[in-house]
PDB file of all heavy atoms in Angstrom:
ATOM      1  N   ASP R 253     -18.819  16.624 -17.151  1.00  0.00           N
ATOM      2  CA  ASP R 253     -18.981  15.984 -18.463  1.00  0.00           C
ATOM      3  C   ASP R 253     -19.712  14.654 -18.317  1.00  0.00           C
ATOM      4  O   ASP R 253     -19.617  13.991 -17.281  1.00  0.00           O
ATOM      5  CB  ASP R 253     -17.612  15.732 -19.106  1.00  0.00           C
ATOM      6  CG  ASP R 253     -16.980  17.009 -19.647  1.00  0.00           C
ATOM      7  OD1 ASP R 253     -17.701  18.019 -19.737  1.00  0.00           O
ATOM      8  OD2 ASP R 253     -15.774  16.996 -19.960  1.00  0.00           O
ATOM      9  N   HIS R 254     -20.422  14.265 -19.390  1.00  0.00           N
ATOM     10  CA  HIS R 254     -21.097  12.971 -19.407  1.00  0.00           C
ATOM     11  C   HIS R 254     -20.356  12.046 -20.366  1.00  0.00           C
ATOM     12  O   HIS R 254     -19.985  12.456 -21.476  1.00  0.00           O
ATOM     13  CB  HIS R 254     -22.552  13.126 -19.856  1.00  0.00           C
ATOM     14  CG  HIS R 254     -23.429  13.715 -18.803  1.00  0.00           C
ATOM     15  ND1 HIS R 254     -24.793  13.499 -18.756  1.00  0.00           N
ATOM     16  CD2 HIS R 254     -23.160  14.506 -17.739  1.00  0.00           C
ATOM     17  CE1 HIS R 254     -25.314  14.139 -17.715  1.00  0.00           C
ATOM     18  NE2 HIS R 254     -24.337  14.763 -17.098  1.00  0.00           N
ATOM     19  N   ILE R 255     -20.144  10.802 -19.928  1.00  0.00           N
ATOM     20  CA  ILE R 255     -19.489   9.822 -20.794  1.00  0.00           C
ATOM     21  C   ILE R 255     -20.367   8.583 -20.892  1.00  0.00           C
ATOM     22  O   ILE R 255     -21.176   8.302 -20.005  1.00  0.00           O
ATOM     23  CB  ILE R 255     -18.087   9.428 -20.283  1.00  0.00           C
ATOM     24  CG1 ILE R 255     -18.175   8.845 -18.864  1.00  0.00           C
ATOM     25  CG2 ILE R 255     -17.142  10.607 -20.334  1.00  0.00           C
ATOM     26  CD1 ILE R 255     -16.863   8.266 -18.371  1.00  0.00           C
ATOM     27  N   PHE R 256     -20.195   7.847 -21.981  1.00  0.00           N
ATOM     28  CA  PHE R 256     -20.979   6.626 -22.209  1.00  0.00           C
ATOM     29  C   PHE R 256     -20.051   5.420 -22.102  1.00  0.00           C
ATOM     30  O   PHE R 256     -18.987   5.371 -22.729  1.00  0.00           O
ATOM     31  CB  PHE R 256     -21.631   6.674 -23.593  1.00  0.00           C
ATOM     32  CG  PHE R 256     -22.511   5.489 -23.890  1.00  0.00           C
ATOM     33  CD1 PHE R 256     -23.679   5.284 -23.169  1.00  0.00           C
ATOM     34  CD2 PHE R 256     -22.163   4.576 -24.877  1.00  0.00           C
ATOM     35  CE1 PHE R 256     -24.501   4.187 -23.443  1.00  0.00           C
ATOM     36  CE2 PHE R 256     -22.973   3.486 -25.157  1.00  0.00           C
ATOM     37  CZ  PHE R 256     -24.146   3.293 -24.434  1.00  0.00           C
ATOM     38  N   VAL R 257     -20.433   4.460 -21.268  1.00  0.00           N
ATOM     39  CA  VAL R 257     -19.629   3.244 -21.068  1.00  0.00           C
ATOM     40  C   VAL R 257     -20.472   2.043 -21.458  1.00  0.00           C
ATOM     41  O   VAL R 257     -21.545   1.816 -20.896  1.00  0.00           O
ATOM     42  CB  VAL R 257     -19.169   3.108 -19.602  1.00  0.00           C
ATOM     43  CG1 VAL R 257     -18.306   1.862 -19.436  1.00  0.00           C
ATOM     44  CG2 VAL R 257     -18.415   4.351 -19.145  1.00  0.00           C
ATOM     45  N   ARG R 258     -20.010   1.278 -22.438  1.00  0.00           N
ATOM     46  CA  ARG R 258     -20.746   0.098 -22.893  1.00  0.00           C
ATOM     47  C   ARG R 258     -20.459  -1.103 -21.989  1.00  0.00           C
ATOM     48  O   ARG R 258     -19.452  -1.150 -21.286  1.00  0.00           O
ATOM     49  CB  ARG R 258     -20.353  -0.241 -24.332  1.00  0.00           C
ATOM     50  CG  ARG R 258     -20.827   0.795 -25.345  1.00  0.00           C
ATOM     51  CD  ARG R 258     -20.427   0.409 -26.757  1.00  0.00           C
ATOM     52  NE  ARG R 258     -21.006   1.333 -27.743  1.00  0.00           N
ATOM     53  CZ  ARG R 258     -20.448   2.485 -28.077  1.00  0.00           C
ATOM     54  NH1 ARG R 258     -19.296   2.849 -27.515  1.00  0.00           N
ATOM     55  NH2 ARG R 258     -21.025   3.290 -28.961  1.00  0.00           N
ATOM     56  N   ALA R 259     -21.344  -2.083 -22.040  1.00  0.00           N
ATOM     57  CA  ALA R 259     -21.161  -3.319 -21.276  1.00  0.00           C
ATOM     58  C   ALA R 259     -19.849  -3.983 -21.688  1.00  0.00           C
ATOM     59  O   ALA R 259     -19.550  -4.095 -22.877  1.00  0.00           O
ATOM     60  CB  ALA R 259     -22.332  -4.265 -21.526  1.00  0.00           C
ATOM     61  N   GLY R 260     -19.081  -4.394 -20.709  1.00  0.00           N
ATOM     62  CA  GLY R 260     -17.806  -5.047 -20.979  1.00  0.00           C
ATOM     63  C   GLY R 260     -16.625  -4.099 -21.014  1.00  0.00           C
ATOM     64  O   GLY R 260     -15.474  -4.545 -21.072  1.00  0.00           O
ATOM     65  N   GLU R 261     -16.868  -2.776 -20.967  1.00  0.00           N
ATOM     66  CA  GLU R 261     -15.787  -1.798 -21.033  1.00  0.00           C
ATOM     67  C   GLU R 261     -15.344  -1.365 -19.636  1.00  0.00           C
ATOM     68  O   GLU R 261     -16.113  -1.405 -18.670  1.00  0.00           O
ATOM     69  CB  GLU R 261     -16.222  -0.556 -21.819  1.00  0.00           C
ATOM     70  CG  GLU R 261     -16.425  -0.807 -23.296  1.00  0.00           C
ATOM     71  CD  GLU R 261     -16.795   0.461 -24.047  1.00  0.00           C
ATOM     72  OE1 GLU R 261     -17.174   1.462 -23.400  1.00  0.00           O
ATOM     73  OE2 GLU R 261     -16.701   0.451 -25.282  1.00  0.00           O
ATOM     74  N   ARG R 262     -14.091  -0.936 -19.545  1.00  0.00           N
ATOM     75  CA  ARG R 262     -13.593  -0.354 -18.294  1.00  0.00           C
ATOM     76  C   ARG R 262     -14.066   1.097 -18.182  1.00  0.00           C
ATOM     77  O   ARG R 262     -14.089   1.826 -19.176  1.00  0.00           O
ATOM     78  CB  ARG R 262     -12.067  -0.387 -18.232  1.00  0.00           C
ATOM     79  CG  ARG R 262     -11.522  -1.768 -17.967  1.00  0.00           C
ATOM     80  CD  ARG R 262     -10.078  -1.755 -17.529  1.00  0.00           C
ATOM     81  NE  ARG R 262      -9.624  -3.120 -17.281  1.00  0.00           N
ATOM     82  CZ  ARG R 262      -9.766  -3.762 -16.146  1.00  0.00           C
ATOM     83  NH1 ARG R 262     -10.339  -3.152 -15.127  1.00  0.00           N
ATOM     84  NH2 ARG R 262      -9.340  -4.999 -16.002  1.00  0.00           N
ATOM     85  N   ILE R 263     -14.424   1.468 -16.980  1.00  0.00           N
ATOM     86  CA  ILE R 263     -14.867   2.850 -16.731  1.00  0.00           C
ATOM     87  C   ILE R 263     -13.626   3.734 -16.658  1.00  0.00           C
ATOM     88  O   ILE R 263     -12.711   3.461 -15.883  1.00  0.00           O
ATOM     89  CB  ILE R 263     -15.685   2.917 -15.432  1.00  0.00           C
ATOM     90  CG1 ILE R 263     -16.948   2.042 -15.578  1.00  0.00           C
ATOM     91  CG2 ILE R 263     -16.065   4.356 -15.097  1.00  0.00           C
ATOM     92  CD1 ILE R 263     -17.686   1.787 -14.284  1.00  0.00           C
ATOM     93  N   PRO R 264     -13.561   4.799 -17.470  1.00  0.00           N
ATOM     94  CA  PRO R 264     -12.318   5.572 -17.575  1.00  0.00           C
ATOM     95  C   PRO R 264     -12.102   6.648 -16.512  1.00  0.00           C
ATOM     96  O   PRO R 264     -11.006   7.182 -16.400  1.00  0.00           O
ATOM     97  CB  PRO R 264     -12.442   6.219 -18.966  1.00  0.00           C
ATOM     98  CG  PRO R 264     -13.905   6.351 -19.182  1.00  0.00           C
ATOM     99  CD  PRO R 264     -14.550   5.190 -18.484  1.00  0.00           C
ATOM    100  N   ALA R 265     -13.143   6.993 -15.734  1.00  0.00           N
ATOM    101  CA  ALA R 265     -12.995   8.080 -14.756  1.00  0.00           C
ATOM    102  C   ALA R 265     -13.987   7.898 -13.620  1.00  0.00           C
ATOM    103  O   ALA R 265     -14.988   7.186 -13.758  1.00  0.00           O
ATOM    104  CB  ALA R 265     -13.207   9.439 -15.434  1.00  0.00           C
ATOM    105  N   ASP R 266     -13.703   8.530 -12.492  1.00  0.00           N
ATOM    106  CA  ASP R 266     -14.634   8.491 -11.360  1.00  0.00           C
ATOM    107  C   ASP R 266     -15.869   9.325 -11.682  1.00  0.00           C
ATOM    108  O   ASP R 266     -15.764  10.427 -12.238  1.00  0.00           O
ATOM    109  CB  ASP R 266     -13.972   9.070 -10.100  1.00  0.00           C
ATOM    110  CG  ASP R 266     -12.971   8.104  -9.486  1.00  0.00           C
ATOM    111  OD1 ASP R 266     -12.675   7.075 -10.125  1.00  0.00           O
ATOM    112  OD2 ASP R 266     -12.481   8.378  -8.384  1.00  0.00           O
ATOM    113  N   GLY R 267     -17.034   8.814 -11.324  1.00  0.00           N
ATOM    114  CA  GLY R 267     -18.245   9.575 -11.595  1.00  0.00           C
ATOM    115  C   GLY R 267     -19.468   8.959 -10.949  1.00  0.00           C
ATOM    116  O   GLY R 267     -19.366   8.050 -10.113  1.00  0.00           O
ATOM    117  N   MET R 268     -20.633   9.442 -11.371  1.00  0.00           N
ATOM    118  CA  MET R 268     -21.912   8.977 -10.827  1.00  0.00           C
ATOM    119  C   MET R 268     -22.822   8.591 -11.992  1.00  0.00           C
ATOM    120  O   MET R 268     -22.905   9.321 -12.987  1.00  0.00           O
ATOM    121  CB  MET R 268     -22.553  10.092  -9.988  1.00  0.00           C
ATOM    122  CG  MET R 268     -23.875   9.705  -9.352  1.00  0.00           C
ATOM    123  SD  MET R 268     -24.511  11.057  -8.326  1.00  0.00           S
ATOM    124  CE  MET R 268     -24.946  12.260  -9.598  1.00  0.00           C
ATOM    125  N   ILE R 269     -23.466   7.446 -11.865  1.00  0.00           N
ATOM    126  CA  ILE R 269     -24.367   6.978 -12.931  1.00  0.00           C
ATOM    127  C   ILE R 269     -25.603   7.882 -12.994  1.00  0.00           C
ATOM    128  O   ILE R 269     -26.256   8.120 -11.980  1.00  0.00           O
ATOM    129  CB  ILE R 269     -24.794   5.527 -12.688  1.00  0.00           C
ATOM    130  CG1 ILE R 269     -23.583   4.596 -12.734  1.00  0.00           C
ATOM    131  CG2 ILE R 269     -25.820   5.088 -13.735  1.00  0.00           C
ATOM    132  CD1 ILE R 269     -23.908   3.148 -12.408  1.00  0.00           C
ATOM    133  N   VAL R 270     -25.892   8.382 -14.184  1.00  0.00           N
ATOM    134  CA  VAL R 270     -27.087   9.207 -14.368  1.00  0.00           C
ATOM    135  C   VAL R 270     -28.105   8.513 -15.273  1.00  0.00           C
ATOM    136  O   VAL R 270     -29.254   8.949 -15.377  1.00  0.00           O
ATOM    137  CB  VAL R 270     -26.727  10.588 -14.960  1.00  0.00           C
ATOM    138  CG1 VAL R 270     -25.922  11.400 -13.967  1.00  0.00           C
ATOM    139  CG2 VAL R 270     -25.979  10.444 -16.287  1.00  0.00           C
ATOM    140  N   LYS R 271     -27.685   7.411 -15.902  1.00  0.00           N
ATOM    141  CA  LYS R 271     -28.613   6.666 -16.750  1.00  0.00           C
ATOM    142  C   LYS R 271     -28.107   5.233 -16.900  1.00  0.00           C
ATOM    143  O   LYS R 271     -26.922   5.001 -17.125  1.00  0.00           O
ATOM    144  CB  LYS R 271     -28.729   7.324 -18.131  1.00  0.00           C
ATOM    145  CG  LYS R 271     -29.741   6.646 -19.053  1.00  0.00           C
ATOM    146  CD  LYS R 271     -29.792   7.348 -20.399  1.00  0.00           C
ATOM    147  CE  LYS R 271     -30.766   6.657 -21.346  1.00  0.00           C
ATOM    148  NZ  LYS R 271     -30.784   7.307 -22.674  1.00  0.00           N
ATOM    149  N   GLY R 272     -29.030   4.283 -16.768  1.00  0.00           N
ATOM    150  CA  GLY R 272     -28.679   2.886 -16.953  1.00  0.00           C
ATOM    151  C   GLY R 272     -28.283   2.201 -15.648  1.00  0.00           C
ATOM    152  O   GLY R 272     -28.214   2.818 -14.590  1.00  0.00           O
ATOM    153  N   SER R 273     -28.041   0.905 -15.755  1.00  0.00           N
ATOM    154  CA  SER R 273     -27.609   0.118 -14.602  1.00  0.00           C
ATOM    155  C   SER R 273     -26.728  -1.015 -15.094  1.00  0.00           C
ATOM    156  O   SER R 273     -26.839  -1.454 -16.244  1.00  0.00           O
ATOM    157  CB  SER R 273     -28.815  -0.435 -13.845  1.00  0.00           C
ATOM    158  OG  SER R 273     -29.566  -1.301 -14.671  1.00  0.00           O
ATOM    159  N   THR R 274     -25.870  -1.506 -14.219  1.00  0.00           N
ATOM    160  CA  THR R 274     -24.948  -2.572 -14.592  1.00  0.00           C
ATOM    161  C   THR R 274     -24.337  -3.196 -13.347  1.00  0.00           C
ATOM    162  O   THR R 274     -24.340  -2.586 -12.270  1.00  0.00           O
ATOM    163  CB  THR R 274     -23.820  -2.035 -15.498  1.00  0.00           C
ATOM    164  OG1 THR R 274     -22.973  -3.117 -15.891  1.00  0.00           O
ATOM    165  CG2 THR R 274     -22.985  -0.997 -14.765  1.00  0.00           C
ATOM    166  N   SER R 275     -23.810  -4.399 -13.489  1.00  0.00           N
ATOM    167  CA  SER R 275     -22.974  -4.985 -12.444  1.00  0.00           C
ATOM    168  C   SER R 275     -21.547  -4.523 -12.714  1.00  0.00           C
ATOM    169  O   SER R 275     -21.103  -4.538 -13.868  1.00  0.00           O
ATOM    170  CB  SER R 275     -23.044  -6.513 -12.481  1.00  0.00           C
ATOM    171  OG  SER R 275     -24.338  -6.952 -12.148  1.00  0.00           O
ATOM    172  N   VAL R 276     -20.861  -4.105 -11.660  1.00  0.00           N
ATOM    173  CA  VAL R 276     -19.518  -3.558 -11.834  1.00  0.00           C
ATOM    174  C   VAL R 276     -18.488  -4.431 -11.119  1.00  0.00           C
ATOM    175  O   VAL R 276     -18.640  -4.756  -9.939  1.00  0.00           O
ATOM    176  CB  VAL R 276     -19.430  -2.112 -11.292  1.00  0.00           C
ATOM    177  CG1 VAL R 276     -18.023  -1.557 -11.481  1.00  0.00           C
ATOM    178  CG2 VAL R 276     -20.445  -1.223 -11.994  1.00  0.00           C
ATOM    179  N   ASP R 277     -17.468  -4.838 -11.861  1.00  0.00           N
ATOM    180  CA  ASP R 277     -16.348  -5.578 -11.274  1.00  0.00           C
ATOM    181  C   ASP R 277     -15.377  -4.556 -10.685  1.00  0.00           C
ATOM    182  O   ASP R 277     -14.691  -3.850 -11.415  1.00  0.00           O
ATOM    183  CB  ASP R 277     -15.654  -6.411 -12.361  1.00  0.00           C
ATOM    184  CG  ASP R 277     -14.434  -7.159 -11.838  1.00  0.00           C
ATOM    185  OD1 ASP R 277     -14.144  -7.056 -10.625  1.00  0.00           O
ATOM    186  OD2 ASP R 277     -13.758  -7.827 -12.641  1.00  0.00           O
ATOM    187  N   GLU R 278     -15.336  -4.476  -9.347  1.00  0.00           N
ATOM    188  CA  GLU R 278     -14.490  -3.496  -8.663  1.00  0.00           C
ATOM    189  C   GLU R 278     -13.248  -4.130  -8.049  1.00  0.00           C
ATOM    190  O   GLU R 278     -12.608  -3.547  -7.172  1.00  0.00           O
ATOM    191  CB  GLU R 278     -15.297  -2.780  -7.574  1.00  0.00           C
ATOM    192  CG  GLU R 278     -16.449  -1.936  -8.117  1.00  0.00           C
ATOM    193  CD  GLU R 278     -17.112  -1.102  -7.038  1.00  0.00           C
ATOM    194  OE1 GLU R 278     -17.092  -1.512  -5.869  1.00  0.00           O
ATOM    195  OE2 GLU R 278     -17.640  -0.015  -7.372  1.00  0.00           O
ATOM    196  N   SER R 279     -12.881  -5.321  -8.516  1.00  0.00           N
ATOM    197  CA  SER R 279     -11.761  -6.045  -7.912  1.00  0.00           C
ATOM    198  C   SER R 279     -10.445  -5.284  -8.025  1.00  0.00           C
ATOM    199  O   SER R 279      -9.572  -5.410  -7.168  1.00  0.00           O
ATOM    200  CB  SER R 279     -11.614  -7.428  -8.559  1.00  0.00           C
ATOM    201  OG  SER R 279     -11.425  -7.309  -9.958  1.00  0.00           O
ATOM    202  N   ALA R 280     -10.295  -4.472  -9.067  1.00  0.00           N
ATOM    203  CA  ALA R 280      -9.057  -3.700  -9.213  1.00  0.00           C
ATOM    204  C   ALA R 280      -8.899  -2.661  -8.111  1.00  0.00           C
ATOM    205  O   ALA R 280      -7.786  -2.257  -7.781  1.00  0.00           O
ATOM    206  CB  ALA R 280      -9.037  -2.997 -10.575  1.00  0.00           C
ATOM    207  N   ILE R 281     -10.029  -2.232  -7.535  1.00  0.00           N
ATOM    208  CA  ILE R 281      -9.998  -1.207  -6.489  1.00  0.00           C
ATOM    209  C   ILE R 281     -10.110  -1.822  -5.103  1.00  0.00           C
ATOM    210  O   ILE R 281      -9.313  -1.513  -4.210  1.00  0.00           O
ATOM    211  CB  ILE R 281     -11.162  -0.205  -6.686  1.00  0.00           C
ATOM    212  CG1 ILE R 281     -11.017   0.534  -8.025  1.00  0.00           C
ATOM    213  CG2 ILE R 281     -11.221   0.797  -5.540  1.00  0.00           C
ATOM    214  CD1 ILE R 281      -9.866   1.488  -8.108  1.00  0.00           C
ATOM    215  N   THR R 282     -11.088  -2.689  -4.910  1.00  0.00           N
ATOM    216  CA  THR R 282     -11.373  -3.199  -3.565  1.00  0.00           C
ATOM    217  C   THR R 282     -10.806  -4.586  -3.314  1.00  0.00           C
ATOM    218  O   THR R 282     -10.669  -5.003  -2.171  1.00  0.00           O
ATOM    219  CB  THR R 282     -12.895  -3.274  -3.328  1.00  0.00           C
ATOM    220  OG1 THR R 282     -13.455  -4.243  -4.233  1.00  0.00           O
ATOM    221  CG2 THR R 282     -13.552  -1.932  -3.577  1.00  0.00           C
ATOM    222  N   GLY R 283     -10.478  -5.317  -4.387  1.00  0.00           N
ATOM    223  CA  GLY R 283     -10.005  -6.681  -4.213  1.00  0.00           C
ATOM    224  C   GLY R 283     -11.130  -7.691  -4.087  1.00  0.00           C
ATOM    225  O   GLY R 283     -10.887  -8.889  -4.030  1.00  0.00           O
TER     226      GLY R 283
END
Side-chain angles (χ1 to χ4, degrees):
D253 285 347
H254 285 205
I255 59 172
F256 183 66
V257 182
R258 292 181 174 85
E261 291 183 345
R262 286 196 180 274
I263 298 168
D266 285 9
M268 181 177 70
I269 297 176
V270 293
K271 183 180 178 182
S273 62
T274 183
S275 294
V276 180
D277 177 2
E278 295 187 332
S279 58
I281 298 291
T282 65

